[in-house]
Amino acid sequence: MSGPQGPLRILVVCTGNVCRSAFAHHYLAAHLDSAAFAVASAGVGWHSDLVVPPENHAIGARYGISLDTHQGRFAASAVARETDLILTATKDHRRALLEETPAALKRCFTILEFTALLDASGRRPGPDPAAWRELIRDLATRRETVQARDLPDPYGLAFTAYEEMARLLVPALDVIVAAARPQAAG
């Protein structure tokens, strides 16, 4: 895990790192302060033949993000150990990561689980990595208060499956983006 200094390191994980995690990675990177947050992504089933599908490029463009520079990678345990917050597309992805890196339990959530916990907490740490690290530890103790839901995988399906992915994913990511905005002086 990264140290208490520096940006909050977020890793988004799905199967092939070309659909859900790729979209979330680039969406968050485009909307979060790069001095406070370092966003990356990986796949538990990634391999070098996988590329971002044209449908995901089109969905990204709808939301003002480009996936043209996306470089997929495998979700190795070393990557997980260096991360402050791991957001997975499904419970199975979380399980796969935790089998390799059990110590990541307190910082590994499904995306929909984490954003439900964050939203319910009402806390908005702004662009303060230390406050986020404290919040992540606290939210890990409240896991049982929400159900960890999965994001459906659109890979290889019709364009409507990518639209459904974005319909579920963007509002969840916006919870993180809103909580990361600087708070107005009161």
Side-chain angles (χ1 to χ4, degrees):
M1 187 163 124
S2 68
Q5 317 283 279
L8 184 82
R9 295 174 190 239
I10 301 172
L11 178 67
V12 189
V13 177
C14 70
T15 303
N17 190 213
V18 294
C19 293
R20 296 165 288 182
S21 63
F23 181 93
H25 166 180
H26 292 279
Y27 188 92
L28 289 174
H31 291 89
L32 296 175
D33 178 349
S34 63
F37 301 91
V39 185
S41 61
V44 295
W46 177 84
H47 58 82
S48 61
D49 292 338
L50 290 173
V51 296
V52 175
E55 297 88 350
N56 214 29
H57 283 285
I59 289 294
R62 278 191 185 177
Y63 289 92
I65 61 170
S66 172
L67 299 169
D68 291 346
T69 61
H70 181 73
Q71 296 290 315
R73 69 176 174 165
F74 184 71
S77 59
V79 173
R81 280 193 301 272
E82 298 169 359
T83 303
D84 297 301
L85 175 60
I86 303 166
L87 299 172
T88 66
T90 70
K91 296 179 290 288
D92 286 342
H93 297 135
R94 183 180 62 198
R95 189 175 308 112
L97 280 172
L98 292 175
E99 284 175 5
E100 294 293 320
T101 314
L105 177 62
K106 291 183 180 178
R107 53 196 162 84
C108 187
F109 304 82
T110 70
I111 295 167
L112 298 178
E113 169 190 35
F114 181 77
T115 56
L117 287 163
L118 176 59
D119 197 34
S121 78
R123 292 168 60 185
R124 304 295 178 252
D128 180 350
W132 275 94
R133 289 179 182 102
E134 179 184 319
L135 175 60
I136 291 163
R137 285 189 298 271
D138 181 54
L139 294 181
T141 68
R142 300 170 192 274
R143 260 181 226 279
E144 70 283 349
T145 64
V146 300
Q147 183 173 358
R149 295 180 329 173
D150 292 344
L151 280 171
D153 188 357
Y155 188 77
L157 300 177
F159 188 72
T160 55
Y162 290 83
E163 291 174 315
E164 177 65 7
M165 172 198 75
R167 187 187 69 72
L168 294 170
L169 189 51
V170 169
L173 298 174
D174 283 343
V175 169
I176 296 170
V177 170
R181 285 192 189 110
Q183 302 302 308

